[in-house]
Amino acid sequence: MSGRFAARLVVSISGADVGRRISLRRRLPTGEYSDVVGVLESWSGGILTVRRRNGELVEVPEKIMVAAKVVPQQPPARRRRPAKDD
């Protein structure tokens, strides 16, 4: 058995997913891959615009997108419990 891992990369989003949270994998000019997770703000003229949770807008040409899917909304931040006084 080979020790290599093979994954099937699938783009399962469309322009109808604007406004939804997505996870997108893109291929960089170096040949490496980079992921972008956030809300799909727009998909126009072959460019996807994704807003990350820190507010940064990332523009991704659709021709370098190798995989993408809709993901659940980020859960709300957990409240910290007050420290116990012993």
Side-chain angles (χ1 to χ4, degrees), residues 5-14 17 22-26 33 35-36 43 48 62 64-71:
F5 174 75
R8 188 172 57 121
L9 300 174
V10 177
V11 174
S12 59
I13 64 170
S14 71
D17 293 313
I22 64 163
S23 175
L24 179 147
R25 178 159 291 171
R26 59 189 169 167
Y33 293 95
D35 294 336
V36 179
W43 189 344
L48 289 83
E62 67 181 66
I64 68 167
M65 179 175 50
V66 294
K69 64 182 178 180
V70 173
V71 294

Side-chain angles (χ1 to χ4, degrees), residues 1 5 11 13 17 29 33 38 40-41 43-44 56 60 63 78 86:
M1 181 198 261
F5 174 75
V11 174
I13 64 170
D17 293 313
Y33 293 95
L40 181 60
E41 295 278 323
W43 189 344
S44 177
E56 175 188 10
V60 179
K63 66 181 180 184
R78 296 172 98 181
D86 286 287

